[in-house]
């Protein structure tokens, strides 16, 4: 019996060497959280840097949904990369995420986001049924022509003067136009906002899609609605610090 117990003890000791037992409570490598600059997992990078504005799974939130096949056909990798690295475009609310621009992401982390956004959410262009207009206009549109384009494609939802209806918000509001860039306007016209019920350039009218020239012109019309003083954040008759 004693010999049998000693043999059992020897087996347990030998097994513990192979298992690599560790004292209770000691961390393993799996327990150690990666430093932000070491993260290369798309789900983590997207959740920490993108989901707050662009929504879970790219479905949209305060900003457009990145899981929008039309947007991904409209914007190439360079455009998406610039948006992440340097901010959307001048004058927009999109911050710069690249370390070189004051952000927190390394270049290879940005590449993970660009690659996986397209791999997960893009569709072949032929499935869209039409080729999107260019990402950037070759020449500025004509605002006068754009007024007619607006009446044809946009007024049904945004109102004859752009002041909004029950179907769509005002697109001539000074504060709104002060907060969005020219490219933001163009992107919304072409790619739409499916999360908000805003159609893309193919579906703004029942009988035909918008031509690239019509996109240029209606964006020029909206730009022309901007005012030099888009409004005051507070009422003009503010109380003085000395008022009781």
């Amino acid at each position: 019996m004693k010999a049998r117990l000693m043999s059992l003890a020897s087996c347990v000791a030998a097994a513990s060497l192979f298992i690599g037992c560790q004292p209770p409570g000691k961390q393993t490598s799996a327990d150690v959280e990666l430093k932000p600059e070491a993260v290369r997992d798309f789900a983590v990078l997207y959740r920490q840097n993108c989901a707050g504005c662009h929504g879970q799974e790219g479905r949209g939130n305060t900003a457009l949904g990145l899981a929008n096949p039309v947007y991904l056909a409209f914007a190439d990798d360079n455009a998406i990369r610039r948006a992440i690295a340097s901010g959307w475009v001048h004058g927009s609310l999109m911050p710069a995420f690249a370390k070189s621009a004051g952000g927190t992401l390394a270049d290879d982390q940005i590449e993970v986001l660009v690659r996986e956004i397209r791999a997960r959410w893009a569709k072949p262009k032929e499935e869209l049924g039409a080729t999107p207009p260019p990402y950037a206009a070759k020449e500025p549109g004509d605002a006068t022509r754009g007024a007619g384009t607006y009446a044809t494609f946009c007024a049904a939802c945004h109102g004859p003067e752009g002041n909004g209806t029950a179907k769509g918000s005002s697109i001539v509001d000074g504060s709104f136009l002060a907060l969005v860039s020219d490219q933001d306007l163009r992107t919304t016209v072409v790619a739409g906002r499916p999360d908000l019920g805003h159609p893309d350039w193919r579906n703004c009218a029942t009988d035909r899609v918008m031509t690239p020239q019509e996109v240029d012109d209606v964006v020029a019309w909206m730009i022309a609605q901007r005012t030099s003083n888009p409004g005051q954040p507070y009422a003009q008759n503010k109380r003085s610090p000395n008022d009781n």
Side-chain angles (χ1 to χ4, degrees), residues 179-244:
L179 290 171
V180 294
S181 67
D182 296 355
Q183 184 62 49
D184 289 330
L185 295 172
R186 184 176 182 85
T187 297
T188 301
V189 171
V190 175
R193 285 292 302 270
D195 54 310
L196 301 178
H198 189 299
D200 59 52
W201 99 107
R202 302 168 301 175
N203 300 300
C204 291
T206 57
D207 55 343
R208 64 184 180 89
V209 302
M210 298 177 74
T211 66
Q213 185 64 64
E214 287 170 330
V215 170
D216 296 347
D217 291 345
V218 79
V219 171
W221 179 83
M222 286 190 286
I223 292 170
Q225 308 311 305
R226 285 198 178 108
T227 60
S228 55
N229 297 301
Q232 301 294 326
Y234 307 103
Q236 292 185 358
N237 58 343
K238 292 186 293 183
R239 290 170 61 88
S240 164
N242 297 323
D243 289 344
N244 294 323

Side-chain angles (χ1 to χ4, degrees), residues 58-81:
R59 290 190 292 264
N61 190 8
T62 56
L64 65 86
L66 297 176
N68 179 344
V70 176
Y71 169 69
L72 294 174
F74 173 60
D76 63 16
D77 286 358
N78 285 332
I80 299 172
R81 186 178 296 110

Side-chain angles (χ1 to χ4, degrees), residues 34-184:
L34 289 175
K35 294 181 179 180
E37 62 270 21
V39 175
R40 296 296 180 274
D41 180 81
F42 171 78
V44 176
L45 289 171
Y46 182 85
R47 183 178 70 250
Q48 293 178 343
N49 298 280
C50 313
C53 291
H54 296 285
Q56 297 295 327
E57 301 297 325
R59 290 190 292 264
N61 190 8
T62 56
L64 65 86
L66 297 176
N68 179 344
V70 176
Y71 169 69
L72 294 174
F74 173 60
D76 63 16
D77 286 358
N78 285 332
I80 299 172
R81 186 178 296 110
R82 285 195 305 272
I84 298 171
S86 304
W88 184 248
V89 282
H90 177 70
S92 79
L93 298 178
M94 172 79 176
F97 283 91
K99 286 186 176 180
S100 58
T104 60
L105 295 182
D107 290 346
D108 58 339
Q109 291 176 309
I110 292 174
E111 289 304 313
V112 170
L113 288 169
V114 173
R115 182 183 68 245
E116 291 300 318
I117 285 171
R118 188 167 301 282
R120 292 164 185 254
W121 297 325
K123 292 182 179 179
K125 290 186 178 181
E126 53 267 23
E127 291 188 17
L128 301 179
T131 300
Y135 182 76
K138 295 180 179 179
E139 296 181 0
D142 184 289
T144 301
R145 284 198 309 261
T149 303
Y150 173 84
T152 299
F153 292 98
C154 313
C157 290
H158 295 287
E161 304 298 327
N163 292 311
T165 70
K167 292 183 178 180
S169 61
S170 170
I171 55 172
V172 297
D173 178 80
S175 296
F176 164 71
L177 290 173
L179 290 171
V180 294
S181 67
D182 296 355
Q183 184 62 49
D184 289 330

